[in-house]
Amino acid sequence: MTKVPLPFVGNKGRYVSFQKVIAEMPKHITDVYDLFGGSFFCGYLVKKTHPNINVHINKYASNYLDRLHKFSRTKTIIEHLQEIINVPNDSKLSLQEAKDVKNYLYTLDEDEDWQTICCYICYKTNAISKTKEELLAKPYSQFYNMIPKHLNSIPEAINKYLEVLSKCDFFECDYFDFKYDQDIHNTLYIVDPPYLNTTNHTYESIDANHLLYIFSELFTNKNMIYFGSEKNDLFVLLEHLKDRKILDIDIVKTLRKNSHVMYYDIMIVRRSV
C-alpha cells in the first residue's frame, strides 16, 4: 500500500521522492521518529519497507487511529447515503439530493467520523469538516458524490495498515516538548509539520519561531527528512547555505497544482554521515 486507507489532507502517500529516500535509507539507521504523526503514513512506510527498524510515531493531536477503528460504522453511513444519491461519481448532487443528505446527517451522532464523511460527499476544497456542525453548515452547492468506487475494499486496506502500525511504538508529545536526545548516528527524524503560511484551513500553520527551533535541533548533526513548501521564505536561506556548501543537505522540489493554486512542495534530506 502506497497511500493511506482513509482521506487525510497533507499525507505523503503520493510523494514518490520520499518513498525513494525511504527505500534507500542508510543501513546504520536503527530508529526512526515520525514527529508529526498525522495519518501515520511516514512511520507506516518506514516500518513496511524496513521491518527491523524501530519506528516511533507521535500521535499527538491526531484522531486518525480512531477514524480507522470507526470505519465499519462510517461505511454503514456511506452505504445509506449511496441509496440517496443518484448522480454519477464526481458529480454535483441535485438540490433535493443535497437536502435529503443533510436531513439524514442531522440524525447522526456528534462523534461520527465527520472528516471521512465530508471527504466522501463534499467537493474537495480546503475546508474539510471535522464536526457535524461544520459539515451541516456547508452550502448545498458543495455536496458532490465523492464516494470511492472501491468502498468495499477499504476495510481490508485498513486491516493491513493497522497490522503494520501495530509493530510501531506510539508516543504522545507536543513537538515543542520533544527531546532530541537519541543516538545521533543511528536515528532519523521525519518532520512533516503543518506548512508555514499555509492557506489550507484544514489545519493551522506552524509558528515561524517554533519552526526555527526545529531547524536548530535538526541541523545539528542529525539525520532528518523535513517537508515544507516554497511559501516558507526560510527555504531561500537554506538553498543559499547549501549552494555555499555551508549546509550539507539535499533539496527536492515537487510541483503541486490543483484548480486553485500551483506551488512547490519541498523536501529536505540531511544525513549526519
Side-chain angles (χ1 to χ4, degrees):
M1 180 189 299
T2 55
K3 62 180 181 179
V4 294
L6 295 181
F8 188 91
V9 174
N11 81 85
K12 295 299 179 286
R14 297 183 179 180
Y15 213 119
V16 177
S17 299
F18 170 62
Q19 294 179 27
K20 182 178 179 181
V21 168
I22 294 301
E24 299 172 353
M25 187 181 300
K27 296 185 182 302
H28 62 80
I29 297 296
T30 61
D31 289 80
V32 171
Y33 284 82
D34 181 1
L35 298 187
F36 290 81
S39 65
F40 314 129
F41 179 79
C42 292
Y44 160 85
L45 183 64
V46 173
K47 194 64 178 179
K48 183 175 175 59
T49 308
H50 305 281
N52 293 329
I53 288 180
N54 301 313
V55 177
H56 313 270
I57 303 176
N58 189 5
K59 64 178 182 178
Y60 182 82
S62 173
N63 67 343
Y64 200 72
L65 276 179
D66 186 45
R67 291 176 58 196
L68 293 173
H69 289 301
K70 280 184 177 179
F71 186 72
S72 59
R73 166 63 181 165
T74 305
K75 184 172 181 289
T76 299
I77 293 171
I78 298 304
E79 287 172 338
H80 185 81
L81 289 171
Q82 284 180 314
E83 298 175 1
I84 299 173
I85 298 171
N86 295 311
V87 298
N89 197 261
D90 296 331
S91 299
K92 183 178 179 180
L93 270 58
S94 68
L95 179 59
Q96 185 58 53
E97 285 175 321
K99 288 181 178 179
D100 291 342
V101 163
K102 274 198 175 185
N103 287 336
Y104 171 61
L105 296 179
Y106 272 114
T107 69
L108 302 179
D109 295 334
E110 298 287 344
D111 64 346
E112 304 291 358
D113 178 7
W114 292 101
Q115 287 173 260
T116 299
I117 294 172
C118 178
C119 290
Y120 287 171
I121 62 171
C122 288
Y123 185 71
K124 297 177 182 177
T125 65
N126 284 341
I128 303 298
S129 299
K130 296 182 178 180
T131 66
K132 177 179 181 179
E133 182 181 10
E134 290 175 350
L135 182 52
L136 291 174
K138 284 184 174 291
Y140 292 125
S141 60
Q142 288 191 13
F143 283 81
Y144 277 65
N145 179 9
M146 309 300 294
I147 300 173
K149 297 177 182 178
H150 62 286
L151 184 68
N152 289 330
S153 67
I154 293 178
E156 181 181 0
I158 288 176
N159 288 337
K160 291 181 178 179
Y161 200 69
L162 287 171
E163 182 181 0
V164 174
L165 292 179
S166 69
K167 300 171 185 176
C168 301
D169 167 47
F170 282 89
F171 65 98
E172 194 164 2
C173 174
D174 189 320
Y175 69 90
F176 205 64
D177 295 326
F178 182 79
K179 304 301 181 185
Y180 299 85
D181 55 2
Q182 293 76 24
D183 183 328
I184 291 177
H185 178 70
N186 298 318
T187 301
L188 169 71
Y189 300 95
I190 300 177
V191 186
D192 183 20
Y195 285 178
L196 187 69
N197 300 328
T198 182
T199 58
N200 190 320
H201 303 294
T202 302
Y203 45 64
E204 296 180 0
S205 61
I206 193 170
D207 179 83
N209 289 330
H210 287 185
L211 182 58
L212 285 171
Y213 163 78
I214 292 174
F215 279 168
S216 68
E217 291 287 350
L218 292 175
F219 289 133
T220 308
N221 299 321
K222 294 181 176 68
N223 304 292
M224 66 94 176
I225 300 174
Y226 178 87
F227 296 99
S229 80
E230 65 177 348
K231 298 175 184 178
N232 179 353
D233 295 335
L234 289 173
F235 285 117
V236 176
L237 173 60
L238 294 176
E239 286 182 311
H240 178 70
L241 294 176
K242 171 182 168 62
D243 292 341
R244 294 284 301 275
K245 301 186 184 305
I246 298 173
L247 200 57
D248 184 16
I249 57 176
D250 294 328
I251 300 178
V252 180
K253 293 187 177 182
T254 304
L255 182 64
R256 291 285 301 273
K257 57 183 178 180
N258 55 39
S259 57
H260 303 289
V261 295
M262 182 172 69
Y263 63 95
Y264 282 95
D265 276 339
I266 296 177
M267 179 177 68
I268 292 179
V269 181
R270 185 184 189 282
R271 301 173 181 86
S272 62
V273 291

